[in-house]
Amino acid sequence: MEKNIGVLVVTYNRPKDLDICLKSIENQTYKPEAICILDNASSKETLDLLEKKGILTTFDRENIEKENFNFKLEDMPCYLKTIKTSGNNYIYLRLKENTGGSGGFYYGLKYLHEYTDLDGYYILDDDGMLDENCLKEIIPYTNDYLSITSLKLDRDNPTNLIPHTGYCIDDNYKYFPVKTLDKVDKNLEISFSSFVGWYFAKSLIEKVGYPKKDFFIRGDDEEFSFRLKKININTLLVYKSEIYHPSGIENKLPLFKYFFHFRNLSYVYKNYFKEKESTKREMENISYNLFFKFVKARFNISFNFKQFLDLLYTKINKNIIKNLKEYKLDINFPINSEFIVFSSNSYLNITKLYKHPLFKGAVYFEKGNKIFNISFDNIIKVLENNKNLKILLEGKGVFIYKLLGFFIKNNKENLINRIIF
C-alpha cells in the first residue's frame, strides 16, 4: 500500500529542536513525499540551520531579510522555496509574522491541501522526534481511518507516556485519558489527540476544515477533536507508531500561554457543550482549579488554594449585606487600602470576601454595577496612581480571564507580579 504523505513541521525560534526533528523525519523507513517547514518568522539562528542543511541559500536569506515575499496565502505574505536535498523533497514556507502554533498549522495545512497532490498530512511541532518506523506503522490503516495519531512518549524518559497522548470521550463528554493505562499494547480508537504526531487524510480536511488560526496557541487540537466527534469520526491511536516529545509540564510555561489556554477553552465550552451544561460547569471548575495551580507553581506562591478559599468563605457575617454601601470611585484619588479586588462572582460572595479581616477596607470591583462599574482603561489608571496595591482576582468567570488578558497586554507597571490568588 502506497500513500503520498507530507510531513508538516511548524517552527519558531527553536533551531536545535528543529534540527533533531528534521533528522528524524529524513531517517524514516517510509519516506514522506514532502517535508514542509512552516516558519513562523523565526530569527537568524533558524535561517542559519536551514542554510547549513542546504534548504536555503544566501539569495534566499537576502530576500527574507528584505521581506521580498514571493507568495501569498489568503492575506498572509509568505516566502516559498521548494528544493530537493539529501534525497528529501523540502517545502519551506515562511510567514511574514508569527501566527503561533495554531496559525502555523492552519497555513501549513492550507498550502499542502490546496497546492499539492498529497494523500494525507502528518503534523507536529518542531520539538517532536519521530521513531524511525513512525510513518511506516501508520500506512496500513490509512484506507480505513481518516484520522490517525502516534503514541506520544516523553523525550527525556521514553518509557513514559506524555499527558496529551490522547483521550477517549464518551457520550456524556466524560474524559478517559490514555495516560491512565498501565501500558498501551494495542491500537485504540480515541476521541481527542494533540497536534503532536497526527495524520489527516486529504478528505478529512475537506470535511472539517483547518485548525483555527485565531487561537494562536493552546486548545486548537482540542477544538479540532470536537469537530471530528461532532460528525462521528474517531481517531485511531497506533501504538507502534511512536513520537517523542517533551512532557509539557504546565508549571514551566510562561504566563501568557495560560491566558490563551483558558480563552480558547472557553470557546470550546461555548460551542460544543450547549446541551451539556452540567459537564460544562464541571470542566470550567477543573480548568479554573488547574489555572490557579499553574500560576501558584509559576510564581512560587506558598499558600494552599483550597485553604485560602475556605478562609474567605467560612467566617461570614451575613448582616454585612445590609451595611455595605456602594461607592463612587475617583480614579485620581489615592486608595487607602492594601488590596484591590476584582470579582466575577455574585454580590453575596463579594460581601463575604469584604467581611474577612484579611481584606477589610479593600476596594472592590465586580462585573456590572453591583459595586463599581469601571472600564479596563480606568482600572489601569487606578493601578498607576496606587503602585502599592496588591491585585486579587476572585471568581472563575470570563470577566476574570479577560481582565487577566488585559493586564498581560498592558503590563506597564509590572501588573502581573502584583496579582495574588
Side-chain angles (χ1 to χ4, degrees):
M1 182 189 304
E2 293 291 330
K3 291 282 183 178
N4 290 330
I5 292 179
V7 177
L8 170 63
V9 182
V10 175
T11 190
Y12 179 67
N13 285 345
R14 291 195 290 204
K16 292 182 180 179
D17 285 334
L18 178 62
D19 190 25
I20 295 171
C21 177
L22 294 178
K23 287 177 180 176
S24 74
I25 299 170
E26 292 169 350
N27 293 330
Q28 287 298 292
T29 54
Y30 187 93
K31 291 288 184 183
E33 181 65 22
I35 304 171
C36 180
I37 302 170
L38 189 292
D39 186 353
N40 257 321
S42 295
S43 58
K44 175 182 179 295
E45 289 75 14
T46 298
L47 299 178
D48 289 342
L49 168 68
L50 297 177
E51 187 174 2
K52 182 179 178 181
K53 290 181 69 66
I55 298 171
L56 296 179
T57 64
T58 302
F59 176 76
D60 295 319
R61 293 285 298 269
E62 290 175 354
N63 280 319
I64 290 170
E65 289 165 3
K66 294 177 181 178
E67 294 195 342
N68 292 332
F69 300 108
N70 60 2
F71 192 73
K72 182 175 280 191
L73 275 172
E74 295 179 341
D75 58 348
M76 176 62 69
C78 310
Y79 188 83
L80 175 64
K81 168 76 178 287
T82 59
I83 188 172
K84 185 168 185 175
T85 178
S86 303
N88 297 283
N89 296 316
Y90 270 102
I91 301 169
Y92 175 73
L93 186 64
R94 179 185 177 88
L95 305 183
K96 181 180 180 180
E97 60 191 42
N98 180 17
T99 61
S102 307
F105 288 123
Y106 173 89
Y107 286 110
L109 282 170
K110 185 175 181 65
Y111 175 83
L112 292 178
H113 187 66
E114 298 181 8
Y115 293 91
T116 73
D117 294 323
L118 296 167
D119 298 318
Y121 325 107
Y122 185 87
I123 70 173
L124 70 155
D125 291 315
D126 54 10
D127 54 354
M129 182 178 71
L130 280 63
D131 175 78
E132 64 178 1
N133 293 317
C134 181
L135 298 180
K136 177 184 176 182
E137 295 294 342
I138 282 176
I139 297 301
Y141 305 99
T142 53
N143 279 349
D144 297 322
Y145 287 88
L146 301 179
S147 173
I148 304 172
T149 193
S150 300
L151 189 69
K152 298 155 183 57
L153 301 171
D154 188 341
R155 197 170 71 179
D156 298 320
N157 190 354
T159 60
N160 290 344
L161 294 174
I162 59 176
H164 47 281
T165 293
Y167 294 84
C168 301
I169 307 174
D170 64 22
D171 291 337
N172 293 319
Y173 281 41
K174 296 292 185 181
Y175 278 53
F176 174 72
V178 173
K179 194 175 186 298
T180 60
L181 301 176
D182 292 333
K183 63 179 179 178
V184 178
D185 55 6
K186 63 180 180 179
N187 295 342
L188 298 171
E189 285 193 355
I190 63 176
S191 304
F192 165 77
S193 187
S194 70
F195 289 160
V196 178
W198 198 347
Y199 166 84
F200 306 132
K202 182 181 182 74
S203 59
L204 179 71
I205 298 299
E206 293 167 355
K207 290 177 183 291
V208 300
Y210 305 111
K212 287 197 169 295
K213 61 180 177 180
D214 294 339
F215 273 31
F216 193 75
I217 54 171
R218 313 289 291 181
D220 47 359
D221 40 19
E222 183 163 1
E223 189 279 333
F224 194 87
S225 295
F226 277 112
R227 266 190 268 166
L228 299 187
K229 182 172 177 60
K230 198 171 183 179
I231 59 175
N232 298 315
I233 292 180
N234 282 325
T235 296
L236 183 69
L237 170 62
V238 178
Y239 78 101
K240 288 186 177 180
S241 173
E242 297 178 346
I243 184 170
Y244 304 95
H245 189 266
S247 61
I249 298 173
E250 302 294 355
N251 61 22
K252 293 183 179 180
L253 292 174
L255 185 62
F256 80 94
K257 290 192 176 183
Y258 303 139
F259 165 68
F260 286 109
H261 178 78
F262 291 98
R263 184 201 67 172
N264 296 343
L265 284 187
S266 69
Y267 174 92
V268 173
Y269 300 155
K270 179 179 179 181
N271 287 275
Y272 297 102
F273 288 83
K274 290 180 180 178
E275 298 178 0
K276 305 287 182 182
E277 287 301 321
S278 61
T279 307
K280 174 183 175 181
R281 289 194 296 271
E282 176 185 345
M283 292 186 69
E284 285 176 336
N285 288 334
I286 291 172
S287 296
Y288 180 67
N289 289 333
L290 285 174
F291 173 78
F292 284 104
K293 176 183 176 183
F294 297 160
V295 175
K296 174 181 172 182
R298 177 71 172 81
F299 291 104
N300 296 317
I301 299 172
S302 59
F303 63 76
N304 178 284
F305 183 63
K306 185 178 184 303
Q307 292 176 354
F308 179 67
L309 288 181
D310 290 342
L311 179 71
L312 294 180
Y313 294 135
T314 51
K315 301 177 181 178
I316 304 167
N317 179 359
K318 294 185 178 180
N319 290 330
I320 192 69
I321 299 172
K322 299 178 181 178
N323 299 325
L324 186 65
K325 297 179 180 180
E326 295 189 12
Y327 298 94
K328 292 182 179 179
L329 181 67
D330 181 349
I331 62 175
N332 297 311
F333 189 79
I335 296 175
N336 183 21
S337 173
E338 187 178 355
F339 297 95
I340 186 166
V341 182
F342 299 93
S343 174
S344 61
N345 277 344
S346 67
Y347 187 76
L348 177 62
N349 284 338
I350 282 287
T351 56
K352 292 177 184 179
L353 185 64
Y354 182 85
K355 176 63 178 175
H356 198 278
L358 182 62
F359 299 107
K360 188 174 182 180
V363 175
Y364 293 89
F365 295 93
E366 185 175 8
K367 183 180 179 182
N369 57 7
K370 292 290 184 64
I371 295 185
F372 291 119
N373 186 7
I374 186 170
S375 70
F376 283 178
D377 287 332
N378 281 345
I379 287 172
I380 293 295
K381 292 178 183 178
V382 170
L383 296 172
E384 287 176 344
N385 292 335
N386 298 271
K387 299 184 187 303
N388 294 323
L389 277 178
K390 295 177 183 177
I391 305 165
L392 175 68
L393 303 184
E394 193 273 337
K396 54 175 177 280
V398 174
F399 171 66
I400 295 300
Y401 297 147
K402 286 183 177 179
L403 187 61
L404 178 60
F406 188 79
F407 286 161
I408 293 172
K409 184 179 179 181
N410 298 274
N411 196 14
K412 299 176 182 177
E413 298 294 329
N414 204 15
L415 299 181
I416 299 302
N417 291 335
R418 292 164 62 184
I419 293 175
I420 64 170
F421 298 92

